[in-house]
Amino acid sequence: MTDDVILQVKDLKAYFKLDEGLLKAVDGVSFDLRKGETLGIVGESGSGKSVTNLAIMRLIPSPPGHIAGGEVVFMGDDILKMSDDGIRKIRGNKISMIFQDPMTCLNPFLKISTQMIETIVLHQGLDKKAAKEKAVDMLKLAGIPAPEKRIDQYPHQFSGGMRQRVMIAMALSCEPEILIADEPTTALDVTIQAQILELINELSERLGTAVILITHSLGVVAGMCDSICVMYAGRIVERGTADEIFSDPRHPYTQGLIKSVPRLDKVSTQRLYSIPGQPPNVINLPDCCPFFPRCERAMDVCKTKYPKVAELGDKRTVACWLYGEGK
Amino acid sequence: MAENKNENLLEVSGLKMHFPYHTGSLWTKKKGFIYAVDGVDLAIKKGETLGLVGESGCGKSTTLRAVAQLYRPTAGSVKLKGQELTTATDHEIMRARKDMQIVFQDPYASLNPRMTTRDIISEPMRIFTRAKILSLSRTEIDERVEQLMERVGLSRFFKNRYPHEFSGGQRQRIGIARALALKPDLVLCDEPVSALDVSIQAQILNLFKDLQEEFGLTYMFIAHDLAVIQYISNRIAVMYLGVIVELSDSAELYKKPLHPYTQALLSAAPIPDPAVERKRQRIILTGDVPSPDKARTGCYFYDRCSKRMDKCAQSVPKLKDAGSGHQVACFLYGD
């Protein structure tokens, strides 16, 4: 099934040189994305989920950041080695992105039409009239009522949920292979969140787009994703299908995370489990397991060396000394 | 004072908060109101937690601020321990605030970056001492700051540090310590865990529960996360467009939501379990929450309701008891 893989990230490292020291925001992340798959990347703030995806798109601000190593193979080519022209043909065309706050991503001075037509003309070589028709179609697909009228409005005339729909329409207008959605619903209300997730699901299925969904919400990944990567302090600590991660979490961090979320479907008055301590500061992190100060099952070896990634079967990995050879 | 468990600590009735606004040019000037809170009745018993849920713009925070008299309400009454606050003088309100403190949502914005932790936590005590409501000496205040810090899980050696030296969860602990400094009865919590990471959120929720048990606190707790509200609350009020549409015991609300809005809200909330998620039937609401800028003659939820009837457009359903204290404002139930 390797020919199905459209994006392969291998040992990706993105570092930031700060006054305080070297910040290893992403430190050796590897995963594959298959055609049509929805991959979830979960983690807390500062775990490196967004930086991973900015690195894939080569959008790391440099300086202070730089990509310190690794490969991002997209359809046979390494994005990290591409020329600036080459990457520009991919960005927004083959791989597009939507962000958490749609207001900061849309230009408030330009009409929606101007912003959408620009992308379509640039990447698909249509003339302006055809591009506008296409844009109207996309808005309609994204569930915006009266798109012929709305397209000539400005971003501030749309509500938060509607703006996110515009972003999705814009991102999918070039029928990309991959859609990277970085916390697409964090700024939205629950009922609007359900609408937007439904829309991403439906459109990605219809257009055959693979989706990388970055979120901190375990509920969102559970409902949306085929497979899940759990990140902690710049690394993937556990990887598997959604069912595996939720029914049989292996890494103590994943286990703790799942237990510490109150659940709607299981009304209980019991005390909530909570992971002790604080997420680590990733500046000048020593080469140990970054989770060991908070881990209930920490052993001596955890304090001295980062665990080897143990393969637990097809596409299932866990980075913990409890598994694999370290056991 | 006689401590009666069943006594209402806070009674709110007919609370309205309308904000005026102006549009148009100098000549075509129009005046209107944002009906942020449009008639809220609720009561909180001593020692219980009342949760307020709803989407953004539904008036949860405005309700809380109007209760705290940070806004002077347009109409209605707010009684804390039987004392009417809406007509009280500034000095009376200040005295009342000794019993009623707030924990805010954003621990990055609610702490003064130029004050040390000690200053932040001791400020309420210093102010109330200066106003001669309390009489605490400097050493007493210092001791109390240290006790409070230890109690909320911060080392007292951090008392000379500034907010930027702490993480989000630790800052929220400082905010909680400050709210507890005056030994209040009622703590108004405005989304205190929404800005926190999952693993920290659980710590802070547990801290709230422990403090409640230890000091007999009463909470009015706002969150938009339904699972969080369910975990922390005894009773829950669901708000929509400035009114309460359903008010019930927490377990009962989740088992048997009555109002179509509550049903949609519950079904839209994601559950962290793929097996459960696959089996769920979602009610997906169409459209957005309408703008609260006009007075309503019909049901506030009419535009988005799947079960609307003719009479819903004609008159506003009142909050009525649908059995065993489960109140709902919908024409589908009772007559």
Side-chain angles (χ1 to χ4, degrees), chain B residues 42-81:
Chain B
L42 50 87
I44 308 181
K45 286 192 185 71
K46 203 163 168 31
E48 82 166 348
T49 303
L50 179 82
L52 274 183
V53 248
E55 297 179 275
S56 42
C58 72
K60 330 180 271 292
S61 293
T62 310
T63 304
L64 183 136
R65 287 172 180 228
V67 166
Q69 302 300 309
L70 291 176
Y71 301 140
R72 299 311 289 265
T74 315
S77 115
V78 176
K79 280 185 186 161
L80 180 73
K81 291 175 156 177

Side-chain angles (χ1 to χ4, degrees), chain B residues 252-313:
Chain B
E252 164 92 3
L253 185 80
Y254 286 84
K255 246 185 281 156
K256 208 178 76 186
L258 295 178
H259 198 283
Y261 177 65
T262 315
Q263 290 168 356
L265 203 60
L266 284 176
S267 97
I271 288 175
D273 188 337
V276 177
E277 279 285 314
R278 271 193 298 269
K279 275 186 249 147
R280 287 175 90 198
Q281 284 287 330
R282 277 235 157 84
I283 309 167
I284 297 215
L285 285 180
T286 51
D288 291 311
V289 184
S291 165
D293 61 356
K294 47 178 184 275
R296 303 210 152 235
T297 48
C299 174
Y300 288 62
F301 188 54
Y302 183 77
D303 307 315
R304 297 172 83 192
C305 186
S306 56
K307 293 174 183 160
R308 62 182 169 212
M309 302 172 286
D310 287 342
K311 76 170 158 185
C312 303

Side-chain angles (χ1 to χ4, degrees), chain A residues 45 159 189 191 195 264 275, chain B residues 55-56 197 203 254 285 288:
Chain A
S45 33
S159 68
D189 283 313
T191 58
Q195 291 173 7
L264 263 186
I275 304 174
Chain B
E55 297 179 275
S56 42
D197 273 318
Q203 294 176 1
Y254 286 84
L285 285 180
D288 291 311

Side-chain angles (χ1 to χ4, degrees), chain B residues 242-255:
Chain B
V243 290
I244 292 177
V245 294
E246 189 162 357
L247 201 159
S248 145
D249 179 65
S250 149
E252 164 92 3
L253 185 80
Y254 286 84
K255 246 185 281 156

Side-chain angles (χ1 to χ4, degrees), chain A residues 94-115:
Chain A
K94 301 272 185 235
I95 307 180
S96 40
M97 240 175 148
I98 50 179
F99 297 91
Q100 173 173 346
D101 183 0
M103 194 59 213
T104 53
C105 302
L106 293 166
N107 187 334
F109 292 106
L110 298 178
K111 286 178 187 166
I112 299 297
S113 56
T114 320
Q115 305 189 44

